[in-house]
Amino acid sequence: MCPQALPTIRTVVRNAITNETRMGASLLRLHFHDCFVNGCDGSLLLDDTANFVGEKTAIPNNNSVRGFDVIDEIKQAVNTACKGNVVSCADIVAVAARDSVNLLGGPYYPVQLGRRDARTASFNDANANLPSPFSNFSVLLSSFQSQGLNLQDLVALSGGHSIGLARCPSFRNRIYNDSDIDPVFAASKRNNCPVTGGTFNTEPLDATTTLFDNRYFKDLIVSRGLLHSDQQLFKNDSSDSDRLVRKYSTNPISFASDFSASMIKMGNLNVLAGNEGEIRMNCRRVN
């Protein structure tokens, strides 16, 4: 890895977040949505070609995953700083996610480097593998277990919802139909998310949406999870999931530590190494 690469990535990420705070959450989500579909291989970044339909238009990603322009900007800046094409798009996504978390007040954890970029992408796998905001607990846990992750990873990584926004269709059913929701909270969200329409209206995923902290878990304990999938982690039933939510709600250091460990684990899912894949010149297309 060229020594200029990491500072260059951080500078572009910092500028992007200064320009729009939400971008930090978007870059974190980009990494998650890349890793959960055939590994952390930059496949999510590929535009459709004659040979394959990519992942960008899959249901969990379409009009939803964002930050591609920032990745393009980082790629160009890193290639210039390193005087060549030596850092993969997959590594850029992983580092940009870490820097986003850290710049918004979260932990700084080491990102292992050396991922290579995939030469293909899968629309179908993106539809099949990404957990939905409407999922129940058992489905969420199975989704993580199928990736080699466990309950602690599920709860800790869900804390990524400490930052960012969700669009009305992703929580509409929750605020009108779920019973495990604070009624005052639900009513306040209905103003911006009508029964029909309001497709692009957004609400914050926790009460301190521009700060990476443990507020997300405190909100779950008082039934203020915005997404159905968020509140599924805390049901007030003394389960292992509840125990973790309570622990993180009172112990931000424990949350930061477990989140870091789970991010490192997720960042190593099915990576391409050695002669597998390639290092893309342009993150949107195969060399």
Side-chain angles (χ1 to χ4, degrees):
M1 173 67 86
C2 98
Q4 292 81 22
L6 293 178
T8 301
I9 295 171
R10 195 171 179 90
T11 298
V12 179
V13 171
R14 181 186 281 114
N15 292 343
I17 289 175
T18 302
N19 187 37
E20 184 202 18
T21 315
R22 182 188 183 192
M23 188 52 72
S26 301
L27 292 170
L28 173 59
R29 186 159 181 253
L30 203 57
H31 182 40
F32 171 58
H33 279 225
D34 181 31
C35 291
F36 260 57
V37 183
N38 304 320
C40 311
D41 60 3
S43 58
L44 175 54
L45 308 173
L46 289 170
D47 289 335
D48 295 353
T49 70
N51 301 324
F52 63 81
V53 178
E55 297 163 25
K56 289 181 177 177
T57 54
I59 292 164
N61 295 331
N62 199 28
N63 292 322
S64 172
V65 167
R66 51 204 298 281
F68 299 112
D69 295 350
V70 176
I71 299 298
D72 290 339
E73 193 184 334
I74 295 172
K75 179 67 175 172
Q76 205 167 1
V78 169
N79 281 6
T80 301
C82 295
K83 300 183 172 57
N85 184 41
V86 292
V87 183
S88 70
C89 299
D91 273 352
I92 285 171
V93 169
V95 174
R98 187 272 313 276
D99 287 346
S100 294
V101 166
N102 183 238
L103 289 164
L104 291 172
Y108 184 92
Y109 55 88
V111 174
Q112 289 160 314
L113 302 166
R115 296 169 192 78
R116 309 258 298 170
D117 295 324
R119 292 195 175 98
T120 187
S122 175
F123 174 84
N124 290 340
D125 290 345
N127 277 326
N129 296 359
L130 288 164
S132 138
F134 315 111
S135 296
N136 286 333
F137 178 77
S138 58
V139 175
L140 295 169
L141 185 58
S142 310
S143 169
F144 274 65
Q145 287 173 335
S146 70
Q147 301 283 354
L149 301 173
N150 59 29
L151 172 66
Q152 182 171 299
D153 298 316
L154 166 62
V155 179
L157 291 172
S158 294
H161 286 172
S162 168
I163 50 175
L165 310 172
R167 290 188 310 139
C168 166
S170 65
F171 58 84
R172 178 185 282 128
N173 193 56
R174 170 151 172 75
I175 61 174
Y176 287 100
N177 299 319
D178 278 7
S179 56
D180 59 343
I181 187 166
D182 170 6
V184 176
F185 175 76
S188 72
K189 299 300 171 189
R190 289 178 195 143
N191 295 333
N192 194 30
C193 184
V195 178
T196 53
T199 303
F200 292 98
N201 295 359
T202 57
E203 285 290 332
L205 284 158
D206 84 347
T208 54
T209 184
T210 60
L211 187 63
F212 194 98
D213 57 9
N214 66 335
R215 180 60 186 262
Y216 169 82
F217 299 104
K218 296 179 180 181
D219 288 347
L220 295 185
I221 290 172
V222 292
S223 304
R224 289 181 163 231
L226 182 64
L227 305 177
H228 178 81
S229 56
D230 289 327
Q231 196 61 52
Q232 284 290 296
L233 303 180
F234 187 83
K235 297 181 178 176
N236 215 359
D237 61 4
S238 308
S239 63
D240 287 343
S241 181
D242 274 25
R243 187 179 51 76
L244 285 165
V245 170
R246 286 192 194 279
K247 180 171 85 163
Y248 296 153
S249 75
T250 57
N251 191 333
I253 292 166
S254 172
F255 165 52
S257 166
D258 287 357
F259 178 83
S260 298
S262 293
M263 284 297 288
I264 292 167
K265 204 166 153 186
M266 184 185 81
N268 288 330
L269 293 177
N270 296 316
V271 297
L272 300 173
N275 293 322
E276 300 175 305
E278 63 183 16
I279 296 180
R280 272 181 230 144
M281 276 295 293
N282 177 335
C283 291
R284 291 173 184 263
R285 53 178 179 264
V286 175
N287 291 346

